[in-house]
């Protein structure tokens, strides 16, 4: 898989057609995943303006600080011109100059800084501002074969870290010590960046977003390890496994882990085109609720993944969106007993024309170290 396959030039023209169909005259994209999706450029976020001006008709223009022009020119995307601005000059007129003809409405990057939104109101007075996701959501939510391959590569890299967990996760070591080792190994396994490391032992495992602490890991304690990173391609990994170190798990934990394992397994098996996202959430939730742990399942069943760690589709109650081939998302039910312990099992799954494919392939059974 070449990097150019991930960022084809045709995306820009596809996005221009979609922009026109949405009744927008242009998209204005500052650094973030939408900009990278269309150009391949992983732009720095900062006070100096970087902005892709993508008119519904006409030549796309990438406006960059002059000192970052070499990086922009090295991006794998194609089909846009680059215009730079020097420090101390006003870059906003360049945005207006890159917009051909009259402008009535533009789509802004969803996470554009408020400073930039207000500056655009000044340079484009009276122009309606909408969200670029109105256009790009439908493009990004279904992954191309090259994107699925990139996510599979990310999944294999994070799996390799989980497979060596016994080298670092031991009683007496603190969560923070283990997390430092895991962060180093995430990079060694091929990631360009570490996005997060959760090592949550004993009662800390009952907090889904605990992170780490200086608490030593006790013998026989359940430990939730949720790790993920960004590959050089830009695509993300995210995988959670639950471990027990240095002794048998508490009896009540072993019992509800068996429930969790069945819930996660059933949800993965239920992935198929046409299944509503909320129905997939219900598959996992119903198993857990029937066993008496419904109130201990504190979050949605999953989130989409790609150039962002969390993106659409969200596998959650109330989301009636039917799954489609190419959608990639986590399946990660959890059970959390406050003050005692918790457990989560997470795989990235891609919806295929005839079902679902796990991109994380390590065993999901409770691992005793």
């Amino acid at each position: 898989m070449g990097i150019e396959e991930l960022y084809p030039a045709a995306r820009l023209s596809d996005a221009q057609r979609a922009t026109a169909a949405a009744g927008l005259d242009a998209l204005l994209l500052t650094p973030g995943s939408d900009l990278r999706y269309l150009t391949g450029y992983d732009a720095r976020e900062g006070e100096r303006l970087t902005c892709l001006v993508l008119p519904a008709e006409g030549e796309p223009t990438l406006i960059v600080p002059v000192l970052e022009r070499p990086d922009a020119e090295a991006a794998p995307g194609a089909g846009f011109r680059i215009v730079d601005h020097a420090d101390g000059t006003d870059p906003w007129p360049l945005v207006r100059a890159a917009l051909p003809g009259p402008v009535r409405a533009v789509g802004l990057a969803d996470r554009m800084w408020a400073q930039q939104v207000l500056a655009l109101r000044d340079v484009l007075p009276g122009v309606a501002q909408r969200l670029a996701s109105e256009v790009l959501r439908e493009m990004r939510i279904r992954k191309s074969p090259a994107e699925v391959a990139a996510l599979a590569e990310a999944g294999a890299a994070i799996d390799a870290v989980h497979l060596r967990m016994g080298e670092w996760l031991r009683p007496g070591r603190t969560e923070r010590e283990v997390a430092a080792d895991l962060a180093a190994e995430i990079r060694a396994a091929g990631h360009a960046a570490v996005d997060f490391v959760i090592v949550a032992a004993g009662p800390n495992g009952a907090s889904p977003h605990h992170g780490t602490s200086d608490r030593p890991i006790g013998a026989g304690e359940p430990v939730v390890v949720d790790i993920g990173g960004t590959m050089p391609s830009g695509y993300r990994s995210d995988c959670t496994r639950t471990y027990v170190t240095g002794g048998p798990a508490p009896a009540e934990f072993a019992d509800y882990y068996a429930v969790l394992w069945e819930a996660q397994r059933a949800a993965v098996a239920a992935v198929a085109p046409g299944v509503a996202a909320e129905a997939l959430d219900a598959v996992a939730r119903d198993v857990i609720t029937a066993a008496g742990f419904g109130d201990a399942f504190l979050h949605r069943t999953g989130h989409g993944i790609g150039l962002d760690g969390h993106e659409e589709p969200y596998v959650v109650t109330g989301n009636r969106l039917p799954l489609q081939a190419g959608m990639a998302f986590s399946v990660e039910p959890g059970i959390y007993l406050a003050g005692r312990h918790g457990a989560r099992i997470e795989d990235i799954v891609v919806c295929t024309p005839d079902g679902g494919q796990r991109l994380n392939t390590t065993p999901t059974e409770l691992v005793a170290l």
Side-chain angles (χ1 to χ4, degrees):
M1 176 193 66
I3 194 72
E4 293 79 9
E5 295 177 76
L6 282 173
Y7 301 104
R11 268 196 194 147
L12 285 169
S13 54
D14 290 345
Q16 286 181 295
R17 285 190 291 271
T19 298
L24 294 170
D25 297 301
L27 299 184
L28 304 177
L29 304 178
T30 45
S33 56
D34 284 339
L35 175 61
R36 188 168 191 178
Y37 180 76
L38 292 180
T39 66
Y41 180 37
D42 184 18
R44 294 175 179 85
E45 188 175 53
E47 73 283 1
R48 297 179 176 96
L49 179 67
T50 295
C51 183
L52 175 66
V53 180
L54 185 75
E57 295 182 9
E59 185 179 23
T61 301
L62 180 61
I63 298 167
V64 301
V66 65
L67 70 166
E68 293 170 13
R69 182 172 186 128
D71 288 344
E73 291 177 335
F80 54 90
R81 67 180 180 128
I82 296 174
V83 173
D84 60 50
H85 58 92
D87 271 3
T89 61
D90 182 2
W92 296 103
L94 299 177
V95 175
R96 185 62 188 91
L99 291 166
V103 180
R104 299 173 302 277
V106 294
L108 307 185
D110 287 24
R111 300 173 189 176
M112 182 181 286
W113 288 6
Q115 288 176 327
Q116 297 165 335
V117 173
L118 295 177
L120 284 169
R121 285 185 178 178
D122 290 339
V123 77
L124 299 172
V127 174
Q129 295 179 339
R130 288 159 52 187
L131 293 177
S133 57
E134 293 181 33
V135 173
L136 298 178
R137 173 183 178 276
E138 291 302 314
M139 293 179 64
R140 290 187 55 183
I141 201 169
R142 293 183 302 276
K143 271 54 181 180
S144 68
E147 289 179 285
V148 172
L151 286 169
E153 181 182 42
I158 210 68
D159 282 354
V161 181
H162 274 293
L163 287 171
R164 296 178 56 193
M165 196 61 60
E167 297 179 28
W168 310 292
L169 189 59
R170 297 187 298 275
R173 302 198 74 204
T174 68
E175 294 172 342
R176 202 178 311 278
E177 288 170 339
V178 174
D181 288 335
L182 293 178
E185 188 58 28
I186 288 169
R187 288 185 178 275
H191 293 82
V194 179
D195 293 341
F196 56 89
V197 178
I198 294 174
V199 179
N204 290 337
S207 175
H209 284 174
H210 163 68
T212 62
S213 75
D214 290 321
R215 181 185 182 278
I217 297 167
E221 283 190 332
V223 186
V224 179
V225 178
D226 185 354
I227 51 179
T230 302
M231 299 292 284
S233 65
Y235 286 76
R236 310 289 186 111
S237 66
D238 187 357
C239 183
T240 309
R241 294 292 184 261
T242 302
Y243 301 87
V244 175
T245 66
E252 65 169 343
F253 176 83
D255 289 344
Y256 76 72
Y257 190 89
V259 173
L260 180 64
W261 182 84
E262 182 57 40
Q264 202 262 355
R265 182 170 174 266
V268 170
V271 174
V275 175
E278 68 174 2
L280 187 62
D281 178 90
V283 169
R285 201 166 300 278
D286 288 352
V287 173
I288 292 171
T289 300
F293 296 101
D295 290 342
F297 184 3
L298 304 177
H299 52 72
R300 63 197 174 202
T301 292
H303 57 83
I305 190 170
L307 287 172
D308 285 316
H310 285 198
E311 59 184 53
E312 296 194 60
Y314 293 103
V315 182
V316 65
T317 301
N319 186 3
R320 299 180 181 178
L321 178 73
L323 300 181
Q324 300 176 47
M327 291 182 176
F329 45 85
S330 66
V331 176
E332 52 174 310
I335 295 175
Y336 310 95
L337 303 186
R340 287 179 278 177
H341 32 59
R344 182 165 64 256
I345 305 170
E346 177 184 20
D347 291 319
I348 301 304
V349 179
V350 62
C351 186
T352 66
D354 54 2
Q357 176 189 355
R358 288 174 65 219
L359 300 185
N360 298 106
T361 59
T362 58
T364 54
E365 289 80 7
L366 182 63
V367 179
L369 299 175

